[in-house]
Amino acid sequence: MSFFRASNLCLSFGGIRAVQDVSFEVEKGEVFSIIGPNGAGKTTVFNLISQFYDLDSGSLHLGETDLGKLQAHDVANVGIARTFQNTELFEHETVLQNLLIGCHVNRRSGLFSELLHLPGARKQELEFRQTVEDVIDLVDLQAYRYQSIGSLSYGVRKMVEIARALCVKPRLLLLDEPASGLNPEETDDLSFWIEDISQDLGITVLMVEHDMSLVSRVSNRVLAMSEGKLITIGNPGEVQRHPEVLEAYLGQSEDAA
Amino acid sequence: MRFIFKTQYEQDISLLKHRGQLFWYGLLLAVLIAAPLFLDRFYLGEISFVFIYAIAGLGLMLLTGFTGQVSLGHAAFLAIGAYAHAYMLSKGLAFVVALPTAMILTGIVGAIVAIPALRLVGIYLAIATLAFLIIVEQIIIRWVSVTGGGRGMLVPPVEIFGLAVATPGRFFYLCLALLIVALIFVMNLLRAPSGRAMIAVRDSEIAARSMGINLAKTKATSFGISAALTGLAGALMAHHTGYISPEAFTLTISIQLLLLIVVGGLGSIHGAILGAIFVGFLPQGIALLRDTLPPAIGEVPGLEPGVFGLILILFLLFEPHGIYGQWLKVRQFFSEFPLYRRATNKRQKTYLRTERVR
Ligand SMILES: Nc1ncnc2c1ncn2[C@@H]1O[C@H](COP(=O)(O)OP(=O)(O)O)[C@@H](O)[C@H]1O
Ligand SMILES: [Mg+2]
């Protein structure tokens, strides 16, 4: 039985069938990418996993856990963390605060001990800080620790968001277009970090991405979808050459032309 | 220019960040403790009132400034705290029992109010909390056996373990001590997961949920603690005036509290204190203004609420970071003096957040 299983996912928004009968399985330790033209339904798949929307039909499992039975705020508890396509950071706070919020799921303290700052609450703060510092070292954010999000460049924001997700200490990490808006150098760094996250931290990665060179470099397998439907799953080379995948992208560029 | 070298993570957790802060806050505290020796009863009363307002302001700051939930109903929490406390005292309960009980009761009411309010944002939440205030006003007017109805009720004097807190100096110390306790509670909360969850809810509900933050619980907690602090302020206010009636807890008071946190600086604890000083002394400022202005303007009856409203709007338009934000700019100017760049405080471009979840 695979680590993560999506079976026959279906979701419509009114008349738009955003996701139609999409199934895939992700093995533990894999980097699994989802590609497809804009509007294909990739982000919607992520939002289904996050339980922001309820499935019309189908099911989602992480190990033994049926994600459909969870509330959106319990998804992080079972070990799933994510980033957002257009970044959703806590704007008015510093990088450090954002990452500390990422540690929220791992708290043990009650309200009472927090109000009085009892030794247990203090010890936990120091542990959180250690977690945050480890993540900061991993993705090289040392220089930005005390900067507020509003003052950061887009590329750094993207990395802060990944760092925040890592503070959850997830088993499965969802990255929604992590390279969009990054310059080539930043994209290069990103590919190394994804490898570190997967190999050193042992986190399974599910990624939506348009940059095919990044996808080929880091992914074990790739899923292509278009107009809500799955086209194919395979290794990066196969999927890129798949005729229907080419057609889906071509169709889009003709539309644009 | 001050560079703070941090060598331990504890430094980021501690409430006072460096020796300088310890010195200045210590000095401020010393001056306040000495104040009853050289201030007359009028000024002691005024400053006690500022302390009380600061406690209520902290309560609303937690809810609006840190959790992003607006409330026009905070006058109701003041009222509940005041009436509950005064009623328990009149039934012979000791001050040290009545005060925390009144706080907890107000807190519970606050958390209950949060339940229907959970799905509401912005103007709808403002209207819902306003409706709550109107309901509470009506209950106070009709529940004559407890509240004395429209005639109001006398508030028994403070007595703590046999010590009568009858002089303005003693009452000043009581308010100061409770303000400090309230400050420590709120600061502790903000350096712990529950407080950070509130900030997360304020800045992005969607990201907060994906980080495992329960929106309902976080908002209810914030409402509860905010109401409890405001209830504490209400109980002290009851003692300050010695007599309470429904007229003391109207919408104007709710708006004054909003004015307080906006003028002080949303999302900062300093803001709650500075705002309280501002709002506390504003009526006197307006009174002075009345004397100097030509009678045609100075004697207009609605001058006070009008000035409040005008200041609120001006701050929202031109200085959303409030007095505390101004102070930070001034401090930065002097600390960088010859090198100060005008552009430093230009508002940063913020990235558009289109498409939210998509
Ligand atoms: N909340 C929503 N309400 C209505 N339509 C939506 C919503 N979210 C996505 N859609 C639609 O579903 C389709 C898939 O969108 P999305 O998953 O964002 O695509 P992408 O593959 O580019 O991430 C699009 O047609 C989009 O307009
Ligand atoms: Mg998308």
Side-chain angles (χ1 to χ4, degrees):
Chain A
M1 201 172 65
S2 298
F3 175 66
F4 176 80
R5 305 184 298 288
S7 319
N8 310 100
L9 307 181
C10 289
L11 182 72
S12 300
F13 295 107
I16 304 169
R17 298 174 72 182
V19 177
Q20 298 177 49
D21 204 30
V22 170
S23 301
F24 60 94
E25 301 199 343
V26 182
E27 303 300 331
K28 197 164 173 49
E30 225 181 349
V31 177
F32 188 99
S33 295
I34 301 180
I35 63 165
N38 281 327
K42 307 177 297 293
T43 299
T44 306
V45 170
F46 273 20
N47 288 341
L48 284 168
I49 299 172
S50 296
Q51 300 302 313
F52 292 157
Y53 309 134
D54 290 328
L55 280 164
D56 290 343
S57 64
S59 70
L60 286 160
H61 283 87
L62 182 77
E64 296 295 312
T65 317
D66 180 355
L67 300 181
K69 294 204 165 67
L70 302 180
Q71 300 262 309
H73 60 252
D74 293 325
V75 172
N77 257 322
V78 302
I80 302 178
R82 71 171 287 176
T83 66
F84 296 83
Q85 189 169 334
N86 297 309
T87 71
E88 280 286 339
L89 288 163
F90 306 118
E91 283 296 314
H92 301 98
E93 293 299 319
T94 59
V95 170
L96 181 60
Q97 283 286 331
N98 268 267
L99 301 193
L100 285 170
I101 294 171
C103 297
H104 188 87
V105 268
N106 301 312
R107 82 198 178 285
R108 301 174 307 272
S109 55
L111 186 60
F112 186 71
S113 103
E114 291 177 5
L115 279 172
L116 298 178
H117 199 63
L118 296 181
R122 185 177 184 82
K123 187 160 153 281
Q124 170 176 282
E125 275 315 296
L126 292 170
E127 286 169 19
F128 280 5
R129 185 61 193 270
Q130 192 59 58
T131 305
V132 166
E133 290 299 326
D134 291 345
V135 171
I136 284 179
D137 282 341
L138 184 78
V139 294
D140 270 343
L141 288 171
Q142 294 87 345
Y144 305 106
R145 214 181 263 122
Y146 299 108
Q147 291 201 14
S148 86
I149 300 296
S151 65
L152 300 178
S153 74
Y154 193 68
V156 178
R157 288 160 166 256
K158 282 265 179 186
M159 283 322 299
V160 173
E161 218 188 15
I162 296 178
R164 184 181 65 182
L166 289 176
C167 290
V168 174
K169 297 189 175 168
R171 292 190 286 161
L172 176 66
L173 177 64
L174 315 181
L175 303 175
D176 197 347
E177 303 200 10
S180 74
L182 300 194
N183 62 35
E185 197 182 327
E186 288 170 329
T187 310
D188 223 37
D189 288 343
L190 178 68
S191 74
F192 288 115
W193 286 323
I194 293 177
E195 278 165 6
D196 286 350
I197 290 167
S198 156
Q199 280 154 24
D200 299 351
L201 304 182
I203 297 171
T204 308
V205 178
L206 182 56
M207 170 171 90
V208 167
E209 184 49 62
H210 283 300
D211 183 335
M212 280 312 295
S213 73
L214 175 65
V215 169
S216 323
R217 221 161 120 187
V218 301
S219 326
N220 301 95
R221 287 190 301 148
V222 178
L223 178 158
M225 62 188 291
S226 172
E227 293 173 355
K229 289 191 282 275
L230 185 149
I231 302 176
T232 182
I233 301 179
N235 70 42
E238 284 166 20
V239 173
Q240 263 187 78
R241 286 190 299 273
H242 194 283
E244 281 181 61
V245 175
L246 292 171
E247 197 187 327
Y249 275 98
L250 214 61
Q252 196 198 21
S253 50
E254 272 170 10
D255 284 350
Chain B
M1 211 194 262
R2 185 197 297 276
F3 290 102
I4 303 164
F5 291 101
K6 297 187 178 166
T7 49
Q8 283 182 314
Y9 298 150
E10 268 104 340
Q11 278 173 275
D12 278 336
I13 296 179
S14 68
L15 294 180
L16 296 169
K17 298 291 183 248
H18 51 83
R19 292 248 178 94
Q21 282 191 344
L22 188 65
F23 173 77
W24 287 112
Y25 288 122
L27 187 67
L28 178 64
L29 186 64
V31 170
L32 286 173
I33 289 176
L37 301 177
F38 55 82
L39 285 182
D40 65 19
R41 42 187 312 143
F42 173 75
Y43 279 105
L44 286 178
E46 287 299 299
I47 298 172
S48 304
F49 192 67
V50 168
F51 292 157
I52 295 170
Y53 247 72
I55 295 174
L58 264 179
L60 187 60
M61 187 64 89
L62 190 70
L63 185 69
T64 306
F66 288 103
T67 321
Q69 312 298 304
V70 67
S71 166
L72 280 176
H74 265 55
F77 296 131
L78 276 178
I80 295 169
Y83 276 100
H85 179 65
Y87 181 73
M88 282 186 276
L89 286 186
S90 74
K91 289 289 166 232
L93 251 69
F95 176 87
V96 289
V97 179
L99 191 70
T101 313
M103 265 183 88
I104 291 167
L105 191 82
T106 319
I108 292 172
V109 174
I112 293 172
V113 170
I115 297 169
L118 285 178
R119 295 188 183 284
L120 306 174
V121 287
I123 187 79
Y124 301 102
L125 183 57
I127 293 170
T129 49
L130 175 62
F132 166 70
L133 171 60
I134 293 168
I135 293 168
V136 170
E137 267 182 343
Q138 288 304 314
I139 293 175
I140 291 172
I141 293 170
R142 311 242 160 131
W143 199 2
V144 181
S145 60
V146 171
T147 64
R151 279 185 297 113
M153 68 193 284
L154 279 172
V155 182
V158 186
E159 198 188 285
I160 301 172
F161 298 121
L163 175 77
V165 184
T167 63
R170 285 183 184 172
F171 187 66
F172 174 95
Y173 285 135
L174 176 68
C175 294
L176 176 62
L178 288 171
L179 172 60
I180 291 172
V181 171
L183 274 170
I184 290 173
F185 271 24
V186 172
M187 287 194 287
N188 281 345
L189 193 67
L190 290 173
R191 55 174 168 164
S194 301
R196 284 194 297 262
M198 293 171 190
I199 291 171
V201 168
R202 177 193 70 191
D203 283 359
S204 168
E205 290 198 355
I206 192 105
R209 277 200 295 169
S210 76
M211 297 288 115
I213 291 166
N214 182 333
L215 294 187
K217 193 174 146 200
T218 304
K219 287 184 188 176
T221 308
S222 180
F223 258 100
I225 295 175
S226 174
L229 286 173
T230 312
L232 169 64
L236 291 174
M237 206 175 264
H239 286 298
H240 192 264
T241 47
Y243 165 83
I244 47 178
S245 71
E247 287 103 76
F249 307 102
T250 54
L251 179 61
T252 314
I253 304 293
S254 287
I255 292 175
Q256 258 185 40
L257 287 174
L258 277 178
L259 176 74
L260 183 163
I261 61 170
V262 170
V263 168
L266 279 176
S268 97
I269 292 182
H270 289 95
I273 308 294
L274 294 171
I277 296 171
F278 182 84
V279 171
F281 288 108
L282 189 62
Q284 286 177 31
I286 294 176
L288 283 178
L289 201 71
R290 266 184 206 280
D291 297 339
T292 53
L293 282 175
I297 308 173
E299 280 162 19
V300 172
L303 190 64
E304 207 161 296
V307 172
F308 280 166
L310 189 68
I311 293 171
L312 186 61
I313 291 167
L314 289 178
F315 265 93
L316 282 174
L317 284 180
F318 298 111
E319 188 43 276
H321 298 295
I323 299 176
Y324 186 59
Q326 280 294 347
W327 155 245
L328 288 181
K329 282 184 198 172
V330 170
R331 196 178 63 180
Q332 192 178 12
F333 176 80
F334 281 108
S335 73
E336 296 180 357
F337 171 58
L339 303 174
Y340 183 79
R341 285 174 296 132
R342 273 199 70 100
T344 313
N345 284 306
K346 281 260 167 64
R347 241 178 274 164
Q348 303 277 353
K349 171 182 156 214
T350 47
Y351 288 86
L352 272 181
R353 296 199 305 173
T354 48
E355 290 194 275
R356 304 293 293 180
V357 231
R358 269 187 256 165

